Amino acid sequence: MTFEARLRDRDDWSIGDHCSAGRVLDLLSTRTVFLVVRECFYGTTRFEDFVVRVGTSAPAVSRALKQLEAAGIVERMPYREPGRRAREEYGLTAAGEDLLPVFLALMQWGDRYLQDGAPPLAFVERDSGAEIGVQVVRDPGPHAKSGDIEIRLNRR
């Protein structure tokens, strides 16, 4: 990447607290927060399941969910099982769903550079079975939503 001429002297300007990348890192600042987002993409909705699948304490998951809710990434939805009290489950908002390329890009990078051998999971288009990947493109076409993706065990 290069900067336009008026931005080339990096000492003359600063985006400081306005840096979008910095703000995203602040939001997804802990392993627990990021893994809660992962679990939302994987279909986890109930608090107890987040605790088990993220592998951390209930207070840590609670803090992560509150942080993500305050940022508009997840929302609570009421549900009630017969004979039980009303409870809440969590789901991604439109803003949360828009994190899909970020999530997949990090997974893709980890698959390429951090796995010894084939990665454990493959992300494919549900209907065609074509592998899903993230690229930087000039003019993006239609993009997949999380509901269009099937996660499979990688059998390479």
Side-chain angles (χ1 to χ4, degrees), residues 2-16:
T2 60
F3 288 99
E4 67 175 316
R6 64 185 173 163
L7 296 177
R8 288 193 185 126
D9 184 355
R10 297 284 310 276
D11 294 330
D12 279 353
W13 64 275
S14 171
I15 55 176

PDB file of all heavy atoms in Angstrom, residues 2-16:
ATOM      1  N   THR A   2       0.369   2.262  -0.608  1.00  0.00           N
ATOM      2  CA  THR A   2       1.054   3.560  -0.576  1.00  0.00           C
ATOM      3  C   THR A   2       0.050   4.621  -0.173  1.00  0.00           C
ATOM      4  O   THR A   2      -1.167   4.444  -0.326  1.00  0.00           O
ATOM      5  CB  THR A   2       1.656   3.925  -1.957  1.00  0.00           C
ATOM      6  OG1 THR A   2       0.602   3.995  -2.909  1.00  0.00           O
ATOM      7  CG2 THR A   2       2.698   2.907  -2.393  1.00  0.00           C
ATOM      8  N   PHE A   3       0.571   5.703   0.346  1.00  0.00           N
ATOM      9  CA  PHE A   3      -0.279   6.826   0.742  1.00  0.00           C
ATOM     10  C   PHE A   3      -0.343   7.856  -0.372  1.00  0.00           C
ATOM     11  O   PHE A   3       0.643   8.057  -1.096  1.00  0.00           O
ATOM     12  CB  PHE A   3       0.295   7.512   1.993  1.00  0.00           C
ATOM     13  CG  PHE A   3       0.136   6.724   3.244  1.00  0.00           C
ATOM     14  CD1 PHE A   3       1.184   5.971   3.748  1.00  0.00           C
ATOM     15  CD2 PHE A   3      -1.065   6.720   3.941  1.00  0.00           C
ATOM     16  CE1 PHE A   3       1.047   5.240   4.915  1.00  0.00           C
ATOM     17  CE2 PHE A   3      -1.212   5.993   5.101  1.00  0.00           C
ATOM     18  CZ  PHE A   3      -0.161   5.251   5.596  1.00  0.00           C
ATOM     19  N   GLU A   4      -1.478   8.554  -0.465  1.00  0.00           N
ATOM     20  CA  GLU A   4      -1.538   9.677  -1.388  1.00  0.00           C
ATOM     21  C   GLU A   4      -0.534  10.732  -0.911  1.00  0.00           C
ATOM     22  O   GLU A   4      -0.109  10.721   0.246  1.00  0.00           O
ATOM     23  CB  GLU A   4      -2.954  10.241  -1.470  1.00  0.00           C
ATOM     24  CG  GLU A   4      -3.453  10.906  -0.204  1.00  0.00           C
ATOM     25  CD  GLU A   4      -4.818  11.542  -0.381  1.00  0.00           C
ATOM     26  OE1 GLU A   4      -5.042  12.207  -1.401  1.00  0.00           O
ATOM     27  OE2 GLU A   4      -5.659  11.368   0.519  1.00  0.00           O
ATOM     28  N   ALA A   5      -0.145  11.614  -1.796  1.00  0.00           N
ATOM     29  CA  ALA A   5       0.943  12.559  -1.539  1.00  0.00           C
ATOM     30  C   ALA A   5       0.775  13.319  -0.223  1.00  0.00           C
ATOM     31  O   ALA A   5       1.713  13.422   0.564  1.00  0.00           O
ATOM     32  CB  ALA A   5       1.074  13.532  -2.706  1.00  0.00           C
ATOM     33  N   ARG A   6      -0.416  13.840   0.060  1.00  0.00           N
ATOM     34  CA  ARG A   6      -0.585  14.661   1.261  1.00  0.00           C
ATOM     35  C   ARG A   6      -0.483  13.862   2.554  1.00  0.00           C
ATOM     36  O   ARG A   6      -0.404  14.435   3.624  1.00  0.00           O
ATOM     37  CB  ARG A   6      -1.884  15.447   1.195  1.00  0.00           C
ATOM     38  CG  ARG A   6      -3.115  14.583   1.186  1.00  0.00           C
ATOM     39  CD  ARG A   6      -4.360  15.403   1.010  1.00  0.00           C
ATOM     40  NE  ARG A   6      -5.486  14.509   0.837  1.00  0.00           N
ATOM     41  CZ  ARG A   6      -6.730  14.861   0.980  1.00  0.00           C
ATOM     42  NH1 ARG A   6      -7.024  16.112   1.306  1.00  0.00           N
ATOM     43  NH2 ARG A   6      -7.686  13.991   0.802  1.00  0.00           N
ATOM     44  N   LEU A   7      -0.473  12.537   2.469  1.00  0.00           N
ATOM     45  CA  LEU A   7      -0.365  11.705   3.670  1.00  0.00           C
ATOM     46  C   LEU A   7       1.004  11.047   3.824  1.00  0.00           C
ATOM     47  O   LEU A   7       1.246  10.343   4.795  1.00  0.00           O
ATOM     48  CB  LEU A   7      -1.439  10.614   3.647  1.00  0.00           C
ATOM     49  CG  LEU A   7      -2.883  11.074   3.695  1.00  0.00           C
ATOM     50  CD1 LEU A   7      -3.815   9.875   3.581  1.00  0.00           C
ATOM     51  CD2 LEU A   7      -3.162  11.858   4.962  1.00  0.00           C
ATOM     52  N   ARG A   8       1.899  11.266   2.886  1.00  0.00           N
ATOM     53  CA  ARG A   8       3.175  10.546   2.906  1.00  0.00           C
ATOM     54  C   ARG A   8       4.068  10.917   4.076  1.00  0.00           C
ATOM     55  O   ARG A   8       4.851  10.105   4.529  1.00  0.00           O
ATOM     56  CB  ARG A   8       3.898  10.733   1.586  1.00  0.00           C
ATOM     57  CG  ARG A   8       3.195   9.948   0.504  1.00  0.00           C
ATOM     58  CD  ARG A   8       3.983   9.817  -0.762  1.00  0.00           C
ATOM     59  NE  ARG A   8       3.136   9.160  -1.738  1.00  0.00           N
ATOM     60  CZ  ARG A   8       2.876   9.630  -2.935  1.00  0.00           C
ATOM     61  NH1 ARG A   8       3.432  10.751  -3.346  1.00  0.00           N
ATOM     62  NH2 ARG A   8       2.078   8.970  -3.752  1.00  0.00           N
ATOM     63  N   ASP A   9       3.988  12.145   4.565  1.00  0.00           N
ATOM     64  CA  ASP A   9       4.764  12.510   5.754  1.00  0.00           C
ATOM     65  C   ASP A   9       3.946  12.085   6.970  1.00  0.00           C
ATOM     66  O   ASP A   9       3.091  12.804   7.446  1.00  0.00           O
ATOM     67  CB  ASP A   9       5.063  14.007   5.784  1.00  0.00           C
ATOM     68  CG  ASP A   9       5.956  14.390   6.960  1.00  0.00           C
ATOM     69  OD1 ASP A   9       6.267  13.500   7.801  1.00  0.00           O
ATOM     70  OD2 ASP A   9       6.347  15.558   7.034  1.00  0.00           O
ATOM     71  N   ARG A  10       4.225  10.894   7.456  1.00  0.00           N
ATOM     72  CA  ARG A  10       3.427  10.302   8.529  1.00  0.00           C
ATOM     73  C   ARG A  10       3.523  11.081   9.832  1.00  0.00           C
ATOM     74  O   ARG A  10       2.692  10.940  10.709  1.00  0.00           O
ATOM     75  CB  ARG A  10       3.857   8.852   8.768  1.00  0.00           C
ATOM     76  CG  ARG A  10       3.652   7.910   7.597  1.00  0.00           C
ATOM     77  CD  ARG A  10       2.221   7.483   7.394  1.00  0.00           C
ATOM     78  NE  ARG A  10       1.550   7.001   8.571  1.00  0.00           N
ATOM     79  CZ  ARG A  10       1.604   5.763   9.057  1.00  0.00           C
ATOM     80  NH1 ARG A  10       2.304   4.854   8.441  1.00  0.00           N
ATOM     81  NH2 ARG A  10       0.949   5.433  10.139  1.00  0.00           N
ATOM     82  N   ASP A  11       4.549  11.918   9.991  1.00  0.00           N
ATOM     83  CA  ASP A  11       4.686  12.714  11.211  1.00  0.00           C
ATOM     84  C   ASP A  11       3.765  13.929  11.214  1.00  0.00           C
ATOM     85  O   ASP A  11       3.557  14.541  12.260  1.00  0.00           O
ATOM     86  CB  ASP A  11       6.143  13.177  11.389  1.00  0.00           C
ATOM     87  CG  ASP A  11       7.073  12.002  11.635  1.00  0.00           C
ATOM     88  OD1 ASP A  11       6.598  10.992  12.221  1.00  0.00           O
ATOM     89  OD2 ASP A  11       8.247  12.082  11.250  1.00  0.00           O
ATOM     90  N   ASP A  12       3.217  14.288  10.054  1.00  0.00           N
ATOM     91  CA  ASP A  12       2.346  15.446   9.952  1.00  0.00           C
ATOM     92  C   ASP A  12       0.880  15.146  10.273  1.00  0.00           C
ATOM     93  O   ASP A  12       0.075  16.055  10.351  1.00  0.00           O
ATOM     94  CB  ASP A  12       2.408  16.049   8.542  1.00  0.00           C
ATOM     95  CG  ASP A  12       3.620  16.941   8.365  1.00  0.00           C
ATOM     96  OD1 ASP A  12       4.322  17.200   9.357  1.00  0.00           O
ATOM     97  OD2 ASP A  12       3.861  17.373   7.218  1.00  0.00           O
ATOM     98  N   TRP A  13       0.548  13.913  10.400  1.00  0.00           N
ATOM     99  CA  TRP A  13      -0.850  13.581  10.657  1.00  0.00           C
ATOM    100  C   TRP A  13      -0.925  12.329  11.518  1.00  0.00           C
ATOM    101  O   TRP A  13      -0.014  11.535  11.599  1.00  0.00           O
ATOM    102  CB  TRP A  13      -1.638  13.389   9.366  1.00  0.00           C
ATOM    103  CG  TRP A  13      -1.168  12.224   8.545  1.00  0.00           C
ATOM    104  CD1 TRP A  13      -0.153  12.225   7.647  1.00  0.00           C
ATOM    105  CD2 TRP A  13      -1.684  10.891   8.558  1.00  0.00           C
ATOM    106  NE1 TRP A  13       0.005  10.980   7.098  1.00  0.00           N
ATOM    107  CE2 TRP A  13      -0.924  10.138   7.638  1.00  0.00           C
ATOM    108  CE3 TRP A  13      -2.710  10.264   9.254  1.00  0.00           C
ATOM    109  CZ2 TRP A  13      -1.169   8.786   7.394  1.00  0.00           C
ATOM    110  CZ3 TRP A  13      -2.947   8.923   9.011  1.00  0.00           C
ATOM    111  CH2 TRP A  13      -2.185   8.197   8.089  1.00  0.00           C
ATOM    112  N   SER A  14      -2.031  12.201  12.162  1.00  0.00           N
ATOM    113  CA  SER A  14      -2.256  11.017  12.984  1.00  0.00           C
ATOM    114  C   SER A  14      -3.753  10.753  13.041  1.00  0.00           C
ATOM    115  O   SER A  14      -4.537  11.682  13.212  1.00  0.00           O
ATOM    116  CB  SER A  14      -1.726  11.241  14.398  1.00  0.00           C
ATOM    117  OG  SER A  14      -2.139  10.185  15.233  1.00  0.00           O
ATOM    118  N   ILE A  15      -4.125   9.509  12.899  1.00  0.00           N
ATOM    119  CA  ILE A  15      -5.536   9.174  13.038  1.00  0.00           C
ATOM    120  C   ILE A  15      -5.831   8.728  14.467  1.00  0.00           C
ATOM    121  O   ILE A  15      -6.975   8.625  14.859  1.00  0.00           O
ATOM    122  CB  ILE A  15      -5.987   8.119  12.008  1.00  0.00           C
ATOM    123  CG1 ILE A  15      -5.128   6.871  12.072  1.00  0.00           C
ATOM    124  CG2 ILE A  15      -6.016   8.709  10.630  1.00  0.00           C
ATOM    125  CD1 ILE A  15      -5.588   5.781  11.145  1.00  0.00           C
ATOM    126  N   GLY A  16      -4.778   8.473  15.237  1.00  0.00           N
ATOM    127  CA  GLY A  16      -4.903   8.180  16.664  1.00  0.00           C
ATOM    128  C   GLY A  16      -6.088   7.307  17.014  1.00  0.00           C
ATOM    129  O   GLY A  16      -6.227   6.198  16.535  1.00  0.00           O
TER     130      GLY A  16
END
